[in-house]
C-alpha cells in the first residue's frame, strides 16, 4: 500500500500528535508496549518449549538410542546374530548390546537405588563430553572400575577414587536362603548427562562386568539402536519387528517416553493459544486508540474531505497509522524476546535471588538448565499473526474515518 506525499504527512502527524492530544499518544504508546509484550511472550515461551523438547530428546536419545530391541524374559541369548541382523537393516546407523537392571548402591552406610548399565567400550566413550571429573580410560573389562552420575555421587557423598558397593538381590542360593551378591567397584569418573533421573541413578560399567554382576552369562538385556531419521524409526525398524515377532519386541523413543512427550506437545499447543489471545487483546488497544484519534480528528477529516481528500486516502492513512503501531510493537517484541532468551539463565538466577525460590528444580524439570531453541518458522508465523491482528484492528476506525460526511460535521461547527 503505497502512500502519496500528502498521505505520508498525515500519517506522520497522527503518529506524533501534539500536546493537546497527549492522552491519545499515551494510549497509542500503551498499545505498542502491549503488542511488544505479547509478541515477546510468544517468542520466549515457544522457544523455551522447543528447547525443552529438543534438549530432552537429545539427552534421552543420546544415552538410550532411538529404539531398543528387548527379548521376552529380559535376556537375549543369541544376541550376536540378532545384533548383526539389526545392523544390516537399511536406515540403522548404529546398534549396540546393552545391559541395564536396577540394583542397590551402597557407600559409607548410605544406600540408594541405582541402575547398573553395561555398555561396550565404544558407547562408554560417548560419555566423555559429559565428564565432570575423573577419566573413562580405566573402565576396562575386569578392572572393577565404573562411572556414576553426578547427582548419585552427591546423594551418596562419593568422589572419584572412592569405592561403591553394588548389591544384586539375585545372589547365590544357600541352605539358609538366597545371599545377595555384593561387588565393590572403584569410581573412576563422574558424569552429568543433564537429565536429572539419569544423573541420579546410572552406574556405567563395561558390559562384561555387568554380565558378571548380574549372573547373566553371555546373554545381554537389550540392543540399543540408532537410525538416520528418529521420526521414522517405526518404519525403519518394521522389518526387524516382523522378523523377531514372538522372540523380541522393538520399542522406539516415543513409546519409551510417550507420556512425557505427549504432555509437552499438549502444553505447547495450549501455551500458543493462550498467548495468542494475549496478542489479540493487545491489538484491541490499537483499535481503541484509533477510534479515539478518529473522534478527535473528525473536524480535521471533514475539512480534508472538502479540500479534495478522497475516502481511499483517509482509509489508507488510518490503516497505516494503526499498522505502524502494531509493526513497531512486533519489532520491539522480537528484540525483547531475543534479549530475554540470550540472558535467560542470568534472569532466572536473579529472580531466584530476589524471591528466594528455586524456579528451576531439576527434580521436576528433568534438565539442569533452562533451555531455548528458537524456531525461525514459528517466529515468522508469530510476526505474521501479530501484523494480521494489527491490520484487522485498523479496519473499523479507518472505514469510520473514510465514511465521515463533511456536510454533517461542518454544519454544526
Amino acid at each position: 500500500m503505497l502512500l502519496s506525499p500528502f498521505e505520508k504527512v498525515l500519517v506522520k502527524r497522527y503518529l506524533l500528535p501534539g500536546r493537546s492530544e497527549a492522552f491519545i499518544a499515551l494510549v497509542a504508546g500503551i498499545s505498542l508496549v502491549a503488542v511488544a509484550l505479547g509478541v515477546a511472550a510468544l517468542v520466549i515461551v515457544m522457544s523455551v518449549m522447543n528447547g525443552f523438547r529438543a534438549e530432552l530428546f537429545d539427552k534421552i536419545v543420546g544415552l538410550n538410542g532411538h529404539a531398543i530391541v528387548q527379548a521376552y524374559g529380559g535376556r537375549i541369548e543369541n544376541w550376536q546374530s540378532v545384533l548383526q541382523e539389526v545392523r544390516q537393516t537399511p536406515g540403522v546407523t548404529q546398534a549396540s548390546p546393552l545391559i541395564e537392571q536396577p540394583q542397590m548402591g551402597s557407600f559409607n552406610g548410605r544406600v540408594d537405588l541405582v541402575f547398573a548399565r553395561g555398555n561396550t567400550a565404544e558407547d562408554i566413550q560417548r560419555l566423555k563430553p559429559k565428564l565432570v571429573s575423573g577419566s573413562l580410560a580405566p573402565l576396562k573389562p575386569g578392572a572393577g572400575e565404573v562411572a556414576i552420575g553426578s547427582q548419585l555421587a552427591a546423594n551418596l557423598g562419593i568422589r572419584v577414587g572412592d569405592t561403591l558397593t553394588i548389591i544384586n538381590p539375585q545372589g547365590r542360593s544357600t541352605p539358609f536362603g538366597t545371599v545377595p551378591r555384593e561387588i565393590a567397584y572403584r569410581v573412576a569418573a563422574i558424569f552429568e548427562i543433564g537429565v536429572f533421573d539419569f544423573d541420579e541413578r546410572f552406574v556405567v560399567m563395561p558390559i562384561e562386568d555387568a554380565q558378571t554382576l548380574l549372573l547373566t552369562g553371555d546373554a545381554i538385556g537389550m540392543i540399543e539402536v540408532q537410525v538416520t531419521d528418529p521420526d521414522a524409526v517405526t518404519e525403519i525398524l518394521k522389518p526387524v519387528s516382523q522378523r523377531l515377532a514372538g522372540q523380541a519386541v522393538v520399542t522406539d523413543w516415543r513409546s519409551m517416553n510417550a507420556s512425557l512427550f505427549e504432555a509437552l506437545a499438549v502444553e505447547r499447543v495450549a501455551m500458543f493459544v493462550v498467548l495468542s489471545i494475549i496478542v489479540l487483546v493487545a491489538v484491541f488497544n490499537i483499535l481503541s486508540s484509533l477510534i479515539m484519534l478518529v473522534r478527535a480528528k473528525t473536524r480535521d477529516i471533514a475539512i480534508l474531505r472538502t479540500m479534495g481528500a478522497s475516502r481511499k486516502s483517509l482509509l489508507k492513512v488510518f490503516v497505516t497509522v494503526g499498522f505502524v503501531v502494531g509493526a513497531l510493537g512486533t519489532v520491539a517484541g522480537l528484540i525483547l524476546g531475543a534479549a530475554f532468551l540470550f540472558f535467560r539463565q542470568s534472569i532466572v538466577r536473579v529472580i531466584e535471588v530476589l524471591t528466594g525460590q528455586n524456579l528451576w528444580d531439576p527434580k521436576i524439570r528433568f534438565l539442569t538448565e533452562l533451555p531455548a531453541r528458537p524456531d525461525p518458522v514459528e517466529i515468522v508465523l508469530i510476526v505474521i499473526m501479530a501484523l494480521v491482528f494489527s491490520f484487522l484492528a485498523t479496519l473499523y476506525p479507518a472505514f469510520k474515518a473514510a465514511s465521515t460526511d463533511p456536510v454533517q460535521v461542518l454544519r454544526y461547527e
Side-chain angles (χ1 to χ4, degrees), residues 230-251:
D231 291 323
V233 62
T234 304
E235 291 75 18
I236 292 174
L237 295 181
K238 188 174 182 180
V240 175
S241 300
Q242 293 174 345
R243 287 197 298 269
L244 298 178
Q247 304 175 41
V249 59
V250 178
T251 307

Side-chain angles (χ1 to χ4, degrees), residues 200-212:
E200 188 184 32
R201 300 298 179 203
F202 277 11
V203 176
V204 177
M205 62 183 67
I207 194 167
E208 294 84 356
D209 289 1
Q211 289 172 333
T212 301

